[in-house]
Amino acid sequence: MNTTWDPISLEIHWGRLRAIVDEAGAALIRTAFSPIVREGKDFAILVMDAKGRAIVQTTQSVPAFIGTMPRTMAAFLKKYPMETWHPGDVVATNDPWDGAGHLPDLNLAMPVFRNGRVIAFVGVIAHLTDVGGRGFSADAGELFEEGLQIPVSRLQRDGEINQDLMDIIGRNSRVPVQVLGDIEAMISVGESAATRLLSLLDESGLADIDSLASEIHGRSEAAMREAIRKIPEGVYEDEVPLDGLDAPLVMKMKITVANGAIRVSFDGSSPQVRGGINSTMGFTYSYTVHALKSVLDPSVPNNDGTNRPFLIEAPEGSIFNCTRPAAVAARSQVGHFICCAIHGALSKVLPGHVIADSSGPRPMITFTGQHDDGRHFVNTILLHGGMGATPQSDGIACIAFPTNTAAIPVEIIEATTPLRVEEKQFLPASGGTGKYRGGLGQRIALRVIGKYPMRMLMIGSRHRFGPRGMFGGEAGAKLRASLNGEPLTNTNGVTLLQPGDLVVLEAPGGGGYGNAAERPEALARADRANGIGIEFKETT
């Protein structure tokens, strides 16, 4: 077995590993039943070593999933020790504390056997369209209202599906065909990735992936520690206001840099609330290390080694480390703000590596009801806003930062839901002004065209506090919503829509970077030519 890796061999094998998971990801997109997986790309596929440590993940991956899967794998191995796994096994859970932070995200893992022993695991995580309960919103008071809970369980044993568990999942969903179809697709692509990994080992003459994983982890850790050592040692802080539900909340962050490592503390942040915007520790950890990596060295691969220099702490019982049975369905409305605090705190020492606040967390709108022929539907629309401006350029318009999902096309919305998209466009002047302007948000207008009423479950922040600018840049626009021309103030709840109703949603723009008086003339001319303008006036 190879125990030393020269750069060329390592790069070839690293490329092969990436191709294995990306091929599996492409297969999942082709075979998934639901729009949120097939079109929204709300999934991730990972290869882990025999100890459950992440090695590689799909290029199109959600940061929450790649950060939480090793924690999930640890929970799987705790309940099912290594000697109890068989070829063809699949273990599953959607537990928010063991998994990706809320019930819709199903986590699967399957072993890769070679010469009679487990040499790796493949993890597959995807957002299921519906797991029952009140639906995908923030208005639940506790976890029990949010849907079906699946503890760590064997979904498949020796290649035989656990039909009883599948029947329970299907019976608790409003759209069982979509949900069960997605699960079967997840199992299939995971098994395909395992087969491809074994083929790689056969071609390379490797008995396992231990030495390859160790090399990837070691080099990634060394690169990240080198990036950290370029920062002056010290303590860097930021405080970010959060919309909350009934009242505003606060995120307090302290970043301590010392000895080639970083400690991040959320001490002083608001306590958990009765409502679905609480974040589990795994979700908090994922978005913290994701944001740190994006600032320090975006080129380093995501894996267990990359994250070793980071220690993330949050007080138990806070909104960033909630305890059972807290409601967590809309945990993005807290967790997606973490990148803002990371960039804000590190702007003091890395002004050329940070960006202004982005519109994230993205608004999400789920529509549920019946088609005219009586069939049930549940469809979630991801409405992306603008990214914060950078030290070198305007922010990107309508992008899913920091979550990395994709927009659901208009054609899919109209084909799967009794809605007509009457308008979908960039929102002029929604990006904060500055030397570089924040990315534009968007406006979408949706008309109910079916004969039955439907429920709209909305998850959305930024209606109180717009995305902050940086170094003199202005804030981006706030989230706005209306129903039949009247403002919708409940952007984290459920609204009953009647046939003919018109819903209009405006996703925020990103914050600006630098003083607007220093804006390059070429960009200012382009703004005027495109009707964007360089002035942003907040309205109430």
Side-chain angles (χ1 to χ4, degrees), residues 40 73 92 150 159 214 274 347 393 404 431 437 447 476 490 518:
M73 198 65 233
I150 306 169
S214 178
R274 185 172 174 81
S347 67
S393 64
N404 204 33
R437 175 178 45 75
R447 177 84 65 181
N490 185 9
E518 301 175 3

Side-chain angles (χ1 to χ4, degrees), residues 332-406:
S332 61
Q333 304 308 294
V334 164
H336 285 184
F337 282 92
I338 291 172
C339 65
C340 301
I342 294 286
H343 286 251
L346 293 180
S347 67
K348 302 168 181 62
V349 286
L350 295 171
H353 293 254
V354 298
I355 64 174
D357 283 6
S358 297
S359 66
R362 65 182 180 221
M364 294 178 285
I365 313 98
T366 300
F367 296 92
T368 177
Q370 288 179 278
H371 290 283
D372 289 355
D373 61 7
R375 291 178 296 119
H376 283 85
F377 65 86
V378 179
N379 280 316
T380 298
I381 298 172
L382 310 175
L383 191 65
H384 305 142
M387 193 170 178
T390 81
Q392 298 86 25
S393 64
D394 289 348
I396 302 171
C398 302
I399 189 169
F401 181 82
T403 190
N404 204 33
T405 51

Side-chain angles (χ1 to χ4, degrees), residues 241-249 337 460-465 491-492:
L242 309 175
D243 280 4
L245 294 174
D246 299 326
L249 304 173
F337 282 92
S461 292
R462 296 290 193 193
H463 62 277
R464 284 192 173 105
F465 306 106
T491 59
N492 271 301

Side-chain angles (χ1 to χ4, degrees), residues 28-29 34-45 60-65 100 102 104-106 124-128 136 182 186 287 331 362 364 380 382 403-406 408:
L28 183 59
I29 291 170
S34 67
I36 197 165
V37 176
R38 191 178 63 245
E39 306 290 342
K41 315 295 192 299
D42 202 346
F43 70 87
I45 301 170
Q60 180 81 42
S61 288
V62 177
F65 298 164
H102 67 180
D105 291 333
L106 183 67
V124 184
I125 314 100
H127 182 112
L128 300 182
F136 192 25
D182 280 355
M186 292 168 68
Y287 274 100
R331 85 280 200 235
R362 65 182 180 221
M364 294 178 285
T380 298
L382 310 175
T403 190
N404 204 33
T405 51
I408 308 295

Side-chain angles (χ1 to χ4, degrees), residues 13-25 56 59 196:
H13 283 77
W14 171 246
R16 289 287 301 275
L17 287 174
R18 292 179 60 188
I20 287 169
V21 290
D22 281 342
E23 180 183 284
V56 65
T59 302
R196 297 298 190 202

Side-chain angles (χ1 to χ4, degrees), residues 97-127:
W97 283 265
D98 287 336
H102 67 180
L103 296 176
D105 291 333
L106 183 67
N107 308 261
L108 306 183
M110 51 210 70
V112 182
F113 273 83
R114 185 171 172 81
N115 298 326
R117 66 185 182 94
V118 177
I119 56 96
F121 289 94
V122 175
V124 184
I125 314 100
H127 182 112

Side-chain angles (χ1 to χ4, degrees), residues 84 92 94 107 184 190 196 269 281 296 326 345 350 376 450 455 477 530 537:
T84 67
N94 70 342
N107 308 261
E184 291 175 358
R196 297 298 190 202
S269 297
M281 191 61 217
L296 296 170
L350 295 171
H376 283 85
R455 291 192 311 151
N530 292 320
K537 300 295 184 182

